């Protein structure tokens, strides 16, 4: 016998001024992120036909940067369609998530991106799509073996970005325009 399911409906939910600290021990070294939820306005939340609703959020990252997003979502099955505006998000706090280049230290860099994101699917079949623009400013990377500058630029910006990825499928990436300003790179061929 199955227990009776709960039915939840909230027409409007508003939160402001909450700080959240996330400790991620799955990466080495462990990453700690503090996020300030400046505001969250959610509406039409319902548990009928999978938990669904819409939300508008404004977030400030403690390491630097802001994220404004609005979305419509369903959690079961997963479907999220969002627009977002990320500005000057510092990349150094996220270095632990890139393990492919252990001899590269990230000294500085910030990411800004505007566009739409969609997530859909379940388990390993989740599909992620993005369309919009992206910009990385003041990136500086160091070769930790030779203790020399490896990569440095004032800005790299891209427009007309379309990304579609899903586990087990080829990555589909299209970039219409790329502009590079003030780039330096040291390349060693052995």
């Amino acid at each position: 016998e199955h227990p009776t399911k709960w039915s939840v409906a909230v027409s409007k939910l508003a939160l402001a001024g909450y700080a959240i600290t996330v400790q991620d021990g799955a990466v080495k070294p462990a990453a700690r992120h503090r996020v300030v939820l400046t505001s969250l306005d959610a509406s039409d939340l319902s548990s009928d036909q999978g938990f669904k609703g819409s939300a508008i959020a404004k977030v400030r990252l403690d390491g630097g940067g802001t994220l404004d997003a609005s979305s419509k979502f369903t959690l079961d099955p997963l479907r999220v369609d969002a627009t977002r505006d990320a500005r000057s998000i510092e990349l150094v706090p996220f270095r632990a998530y890139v393990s492919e280049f252990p001899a590269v230290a990230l000294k500085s860099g910030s990411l800004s991106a505007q566009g739409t994101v969609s997530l859909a699917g379940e388990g390993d079949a989740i599909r992620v799509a993005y369309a919009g623009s992206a910009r990385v400013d003041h990136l500086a990377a160091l070769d930790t073996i030779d203790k020399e500058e490896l990569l440095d630029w004032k800005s790299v910006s891209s427009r007309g970005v379309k990304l579609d990825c899903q586990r087990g499928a080829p990555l589909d990436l299209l970039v219409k325009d790329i502009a590079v300003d003030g780039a330096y790179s040291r390349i060693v061929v052995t």
Side-chain angles (χ1 to χ4, degrees), residues 103-105 142-150 186-190:
V104 176
L142 178 75
D143 175 339
T144 59
I145 295 170
D146 296 329
K147 308 283 191 240
E148 294 184 22
E149 290 286 326
L150 181 64
R186 183 178 66 85
I187 299 173
V188 177
V189 179
T190 58

Side-chain angles (χ1 to χ4, degrees), residues 63-171:
T66 62
L67 173 66
D68 295 348
S70 64
S71 68
K72 291 188 179 291
F73 60 87
T74 303
L75 298 183
D76 188 18
L78 178 65
R79 176 73 189 177
V80 178
D81 292 307
T83 59
R84 50 112 202 90
D85 183 359
R87 296 188 186 255
S88 302
I89 295 176
E90 290 298 321
L91 295 174
V92 173
F94 299 96
R95 172 61 180 99
Y97 297 98
V98 183
S99 59
E100 290 81 11
F101 306 104
V104 176
L106 186 60
K107 293 173 26 181
S108 65
S110 64
L111 170 72
S112 297
Q114 294 79 34
T116 60
V117 176
S118 67
L119 303 168
E122 296 180 13
D124 287 344
I126 292 178
R127 180 179 157 265
V128 178
Y130 170 74
S133 63
R135 178 183 182 109
V136 176
D137 292 312
H138 306 291
L139 185 98
L142 178 75
D143 175 339
T144 59
I145 295 170
D146 296 329
K147 308 283 191 240
E148 294 184 22
E149 290 286 326
L150 181 64
L151 185 62
D152 195 333
W153 68 59
K154 182 177 177 183
S155 73
V156 172
S157 61
S158 58
R159 294 181 334 178
V161 177
K162 290 187 180 183
L163 169 72
D164 195 341
C165 63
Q166 183 174 359
R167 180 179 271 176
L171 177 70

Side-chain angles (χ1 to χ4, degrees), residues 6-29:
W6 286 48
S7 180
V8 177
V10 177
S11 63
K12 183 167 174 68
L13 172 68
L15 300 171
Y18 283 86
I20 302 163
T21 301
V22 177
Q23 183 82 22
D24 187 352
V27 295
K28 300 295 181 220

